[in-house]
Amino acid sequence: MIQIKIAVIDADLIGRKSHRFPNLVIMKLSGYYKELGDDVELKLDYENLDQYDKVFISKVFTDTPIDEKILELPNVEYGGTGFFFDKAPDLPYEIEHHMPDYHLYDEWVYKQIESGRKRNEFKEYLDYSIGFITRGCFRKCGFCVNKKYDKVFKHSSLEEFYDPTRKKICLLDDNFFGCREWKSLLEQLQSTGKPFKFKQGMDERLLTDEKCKILFGSRYDGAYTFAFDNIEDAELIEKKLLLIRKYTNKIPMFYVLCGFDNNGKYEEDFWKQDIIDTFERIRILMKYHCLPYIMRFNKYKESPHRGIYINLARWCNQPNFFKKKSFHEFCTMKEHINGATYRYYNEFKKQYNLQEYFNMKWEK
Ligand code: SF4
């Protein structure tokens, strides 16, 4: 059999400075072609691509830069949400369901560590089995890439991507608890004895007593992570927070999306209301001792309150500050007095009197 020379390229690794998560597609491609006996290389630039029989480029983020001319080369194939958003074509079945090559990034990772970076930054490359046991979501949130399917369904059996030599399991499922078979799948995960986590944030609105009992009784890796993206869900989210508190004292984290207008208008009224809604979600989460993690939709940069979005993210996304200081205390810290954080806060405060939100505190 003729051995062919293949380059696989993780465009996010090349184009984003702080990107630290392996690309599952190129790991599967590598696993598949190596098993066929081909020569596969993780390529870290776009030079001399004509020296390869095939070049596969994958990217997850739409704003990762790449020269369009490269995509026109005859030996190049490319794919992923970064190129096609919600219309990304599926991988061929035999590749999609192939064991990922967990050693594809080894050389690159070891070089990073040798150059002084901390091992922990690369834990997902070194310690985790990674995959989807379910796929799809029925909610179709306007800002989300997962619009391809109308339901959640079983996707891969655990054996397809579980490597028992790896310490932990990382699931990339879109909305695991929306799957009818969630219970048997969760039990399979538990039976490995390994800590596992759902990377994308779970759908808290779907929790029930039975789900909570099993989930919070599991060996979970790190903080339980959910999402609270829409203020209209406040009542339901709060009801489920009460439920969570029946089963665990741990501190869950909630992604809090802001700066996204469902109506696509982004007018002055929206920006003001969005800040208020974000504070309100933070208030609710604080009340139940949960940590908000602010996710800013890119449009926030066009907001007249851009600086307040930045301040909110700086405050919430650093739990050491969030747990000790109110928003007011954070923005007026000695270190901030002559800086942008203080200025943004004061400018906003002059326009909008949200004292109750500015002064709320975790400890209280
Ligand atoms: S619930 Fe989550 S996965 Fe589903 S569409 Fe909304 S953001 Fe996407």
Side-chain angles (χ1 to χ4, degrees):
M1 208 180 191
I2 306 164
Q3 193 192 41
I4 60 169
K5 213 173 157 202
I6 296 175
V8 288
I9 297 182
D10 175 346
D12 300 308
L13 184 70
I14 298 175
R16 307 177 83 83
K17 269 196 195 139
S18 55
H19 183 65
R20 291 281 173 271
F21 198 84
N23 183 301
L24 187 57
V25 169
I26 63 162
M27 289 203 298
K28 285 180 183 174
L29 283 161
S30 175
Y32 176 80
Y33 283 104
K34 277 185 183 166
E35 196 176 282
L36 290 182
D38 293 325
D39 178 12
V40 184
E41 175 191 334
L42 174 69
K43 187 114 173 63
L44 298 168
D45 55 45
Y46 298 106
E47 306 297 316
N48 305 320
L49 294 184
D50 55 345
Q51 291 175 12
Y52 297 86
D53 298 298
K54 261 185 185 300
V55 177
F56 294 107
I57 305 176
S58 175
K59 70 168 179 153
V60 174
F61 300 98
T62 48
D63 58 350
T64 298
I66 185 165
D67 183 347
E68 295 282 322
K69 283 191 198 118
I70 290 167
L71 306 179
E72 287 162 16
L73 296 174
N75 57 342
V76 166
E77 281 184 45
Y78 59 95
T81 51
F83 289 110
F84 299 101
F85 199 61
D86 58 336
K87 307 276 184 306
D90 293 337
L91 283 171
Y93 184 91
E94 60 282 12
I95 299 175
E96 176 63 38
H97 294 277
H98 199 281
M99 177 66 81
D101 173 6
Y102 286 119
H103 297 287
L104 177 65
Y105 288 88
D106 281 2
E107 208 183 313
W108 174 78
V109 168
Y110 293 133
K111 270 195 190 141
Q112 302 298 311
I113 296 171
E114 270 168 26
S115 73
R117 305 204 80 108
K118 293 200 178 89
R119 186 190 185 282
N120 201 36
E121 280 183 57
F122 304 94
K123 60 181 187 211
E124 268 95 3
Y125 297 86
L126 298 170
D127 297 334
Y128 288 79
S129 296
I130 303 173
F132 293 85
I133 33 179
T134 71
R135 277 208 111 138
C137 182
F138 52 91
R139 293 209 189 264
K140 308 218 186 275
C141 304
F143 53 85
C144 179
V145 69
N146 295 314
K147 295 198 181 70
K148 206 157 148 186
Y149 309 104
D150 296 318
K151 58 175 185 166
V152 188
F153 53 91
K154 275 208 304 197
H155 179 68
S156 301
S157 66
L158 194 52
E159 299 80 60
E160 270 179 25
F161 62 90
Y162 173 55
D163 174 351
T165 66
R166 308 209 125 210
K167 285 191 244 172
K168 298 174 178 184
I169 301 170
C170 177
L171 286 322
L172 305 179
D173 300 37
D174 310 313
N175 194 343
F176 176 79
F177 281 116
C179 182
R180 219 185 278 171
E181 291 95 340
W182 67 268
K183 191 173 174 187
S184 60
L185 296 174
L186 211 47
E187 284 165 354
Q188 273 176 40
L189 281 165
Q190 285 181 326
S191 71
T192 63
K194 308 264 175 165
F196 62 88
K197 66 177 174 187
F198 290 98
K199 182 166 183 289
Q200 312 291 27
M202 293 173 277
D203 190 339
E204 195 241 19
R205 296 161 292 184
L206 299 176
L207 290 180
T208 59
D209 274 291
E210 194 184 21
K211 286 172 180 163
C212 285
K213 201 168 169 189
I214 303 182
L215 177 67
F216 296 115
S218 297
R219 241 188 121 192
Y220 202 80
D221 178 45
Y224 291 98
T225 309
F226 300 93
F228 186 0
D229 292 325
N230 195 338
I231 191 66
E232 282 158 28
D233 294 326
E235 204 178 313
L236 181 58
I237 292 277
E238 208 164 343
K239 200 168 134 201
K240 301 295 179 174
L241 283 166
L242 279 166
L243 185 66
I244 288 179
R245 282 294 167 238
K246 267 170 72 183
Y247 292 91
T248 182
N249 289 326
K250 290 194 176 148
I251 299 175
M253 194 184 83
F254 280 69
Y255 293 125
V256 172
L257 179 82
C258 56
F260 176 77
D261 183 0
N262 237 332
N263 300 314
K265 291 186 179 153
Y266 298 97
E267 289 166 350
E268 172 59 33
D269 284 357
F270 161 75
W271 292 118
K272 181 189 167 196
Q273 193 56 45
D274 190 53
I275 297 282
I276 294 172
D277 291 349
T278 305
F279 269 116
E280 178 60 13
R281 285 178 287 161
I282 295 169
R283 185 192 68 76
I284 293 170
L285 293 172
M286 220 182 220
K287 182 172 159 195
Y288 294 90
H289 261 214
C290 300
L291 288 172
Y293 188 94
I294 301 292
M295 306 281 288
R296 287 166 288 168
F297 193 68
N298 240 342
K299 278 269 185 187
Y300 89 92
K301 291 179 187 157
E302 294 166 25
S303 165
H305 312 308
R306 181 183 153 272
I308 285 297
Y309 285 106
I310 296 173
N311 282 9
L312 277 167
R314 285 189 185 147
W315 174 51
C316 292
N317 301 358
Q318 303 184 80
N320 285 344
F321 285 125
F322 184 76
K323 287 180 181 170
K324 286 189 195 118
K325 294 187 184 297
S326 68
F327 186 68
H328 170 81
E329 287 166 348
F330 174 75
C331 295
T332 55
M333 276 162 63
K334 225 175 20 196
E335 301 84 317
H336 291 155
I337 290 293
N338 293 318
T341 308
Y342 186 77
R343 197 180 70 244
Y344 295 149
Y345 174 58
N346 273 308
E347 280 166 9
F348 187 77
K349 207 170 61 163
K350 271 184 217 151
Q351 288 182 63
Y352 302 112
N353 185 4
L354 304 178
Q355 287 307 322
E356 249 179 73
Y357 287 133
F358 296 157
N359 293 327
M360 63 192 180
K361 242 174 142 170
W362 169 270
E363 288 154 12
K364 287 184 194 162

